[in-house]
C-alpha cells in the first residue's frame, strides 16, 4: 500500500545553509512531503538542495524565486530551472512576466504561481513606490485577475485577500494538489496585512521553522555514497553545497 501525503502543508526551509536544510528535512522524515526553498537560500546551495530532496528523497519542491525581468530573461530562467523538476515556481504577477514564465515552463515544467502584491507591504509602501491609488484588496484582486488571465497556474496572496480572490471568475481554488479542480491559491502567512481569521484547512499553508545553525555531520568511516548518475547535479550531502554543476 503506497503512502499518502497531505501536500497542503509546505514547510519553508528558511535556514542558513543547504546542509542545514537537508538536516531539517531528514529530521522531519516522512511527516513532510513538500518543501519551499526561497531566494535567500539560492547562494547557499538552494538549487543543489532542491535537486537532492527531489531526486534522492522523493520530495516535492516549491521554489520561491519571485522572478521579475524582461520577458526573454524570465523565459530563459524558467527554462533553466525546469531541469530541476521542481513542482511550483513563483514569479511576479505582471502579465508579461507570467506569459514568459509559462512559455519557459512548457507543458512539463513547474506550475507557475504569480505573486500579487508582496504580503509584507501595505498601502504606505505602495505609495512610496508610486503605485496607483486604491485599496490593497482592489490592487491585489486586479493583479490576481490579470495574472490568471495571462495563464498563471495559481496565485500567492495573504489570508486577508484569499476569500475575495477565490470569488474571482477565474476561480483559483484551495483544493488538494492531489486532485486540483482549478488554479491553486497559496496563503502566505508572513505578512504585514495580517488576518485574525484562522486559515481554511483546505488551503495550502506554509510553515517557516526557526533559523538555527546546524553543524554538518561527518559521514562514518568507510561509508560510500553511490556514484552520481551521468548528468546528475552535484550533491549537498557529498560536501558541495554550492550551486550545482553538471557531473559525469
Amino acid at each position: 500500500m503506497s503512502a499518502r501525503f497531505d501536500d497542503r502543508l509546505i514547510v519553508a526551509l528558511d535556514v542558513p545553509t543547504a546542509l542545514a536544510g537537508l538536516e531539517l528535512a531528514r529530521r522531519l522524515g516522512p511527516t513532510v512531503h513538500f518543501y519551499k526553498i526561497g531566494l535567500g537560500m539560492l547562494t547557499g546551495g538552494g538549487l543543489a538542495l532542491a535537486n537532492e530532496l527531489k531526486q534522492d528523497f522523493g520530495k516535492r519542491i516549491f521554489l520561491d524565486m519571485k522572478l521579475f525581468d524582461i520577458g526573454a530573461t524570465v523565459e530563459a530562467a524558467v527554462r533553466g530551472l525546469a531541469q530541476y523538476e521542481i513542482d511550483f515556481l513563483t514569479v511576479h504577477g505582471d502579465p508579461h512576466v507570467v506569459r514568459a514564465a509559462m512559455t519557459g515552463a512548457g507543458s512539463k515544467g513547474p506550475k507557475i504561481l504569480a505573486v500579487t502584491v508582496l504580503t509584507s507591504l501595505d498601502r504606505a509602501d505602495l505609495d512610496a513606490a508610486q503605485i496607483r491609488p486604491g485599496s490593497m484588496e482592489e490592487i491585489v484582486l486586479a493583479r490576481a485577475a490579470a495574472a490568471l488571465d495571462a495563464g498563471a497556474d495559481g496565485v500567492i496572496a495573504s489570508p486577508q485577500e484569499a476569500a475575495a480572490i477565490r470569488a474571482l471568475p477565474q476561480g483559483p481554488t484551495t483544493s488538494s494538489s492531489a486532485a486540483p479542480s482549478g488554479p491553486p491559491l497559496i496563503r502566505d502567512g508572513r505578512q504585514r496585512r495580517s488576518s485574525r481569521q484562522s486559515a481554511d484547512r483546505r488551503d495550502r499553508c506554509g510553515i517557516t521553522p526557526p533559523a538555527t545553525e546546524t553543524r554538518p555531520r561527518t559521514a562514518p568511516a568507510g561509508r560510500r555514497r553511490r556514484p552520481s548518475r551521468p548528468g546528475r547535479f552535484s550533491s549537498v550531502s557529498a560536501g558541495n553545497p554550492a550551486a550545482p554543476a553538471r557531473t559525469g
Side-chain angles (χ1 to χ4, degrees):
M1 182 177 178
S2 61
R4 297 187 64 182
F5 303 98
D6 187 350
D7 284 346
R8 293 170 297 183
L9 173 66
I10 304 174
V11 173
L13 293 177
D14 291 342
V15 290
T17 66
L19 287 173
L22 186 61
E23 176 64 21
L24 177 59
R26 282 173 170 159
R27 294 207 315 267
L28 294 173
T31 60
V32 175
H33 188 56
F34 216 144
Y35 288 98
K36 180 174 81 69
I37 297 173
L39 182 62
M41 176 69 78
L42 187 63
T43 57
L47 295 181
L49 175 61
N51 184 70
E52 185 145 347
L53 289 175
K54 186 77 176 180
Q55 302 299 332
D56 293 351
F57 295 89
K59 304 299 185 181
R60 300 190 70 193
I61 301 298
F62 172 10
L63 200 60
D64 189 18
M65 294 288 104
K66 299 183 179 72
L67 299 178
F68 182 83
D69 213 309
I70 63 172
T73 300
V74 171
E75 180 181 338
V78 174
R79 186 175 293 113
L81 290 170
Q83 65 186 311
Y84 291 87
E85 300 179 1
I86 56 178
D87 297 279
F88 290 169
L89 174 66
T90 56
V91 303
H92 278 267
D94 302 63
H96 82 276
V97 174
V98 173
R99 285 192 293 267
M102 296 300 295
T103 300
S107 60
K108 297 182 179 180
K111 297 294 184 183
I112 301 300
L113 304 182
V115 176
T116 51
V117 175
L118 293 174
T119 52
S120 62
L121 303 183
D122 59 18
R123 183 62 250 185
D125 296 310
L126 300 191
D127 290 340
Q130 306 297 310
I131 304 298
R132 71 173 176 83
S135 69
M136 291 298 295
E137 181 171 305
E138 290 171 344
I139 294 175
V140 167
L141 289 178
R143 286 181 60 80
L148 293 169
D149 284 340
D153 293 304
V155 296
I156 306 289
S158 80
Q160 194 165 5
E161 292 106 20
I165 292 175
R166 282 200 301 272
L168 289 171
Q170 290 83 351
T173 69
T174 55
S175 59
S176 168
S177 60
S181 58
L185 169 63
I186 296 184
R187 293 181 174 190
D188 186 344
R190 300 173 298 168
Q191 74 285 325
R192 190 180 301 174
R193 307 194 302 277
S194 61
S195 171
R196 294 190 178 183
Q197 293 182 336
S198 61
D200 187 320
R201 290 183 59 191
R202 296 173 299 166
D203 284 347
R204 294 189 184 90
C205 58
I207 293 180
T208 302
T212 56
E213 293 291 343
T214 303
R215 297 180 63 184
R217 292 192 292 184
T218 303
R223 180 181 175 184
R224 298 179 61 188
R225 281 183 57 86
R226 55 188 175 85
S228 298
R229 299 191 303 270
R232 283 293 302 279
F233 293 97
S234 58
S235 169
V236 174
S237 56
N240 181 10
R246 287 287 184 180
T247 61

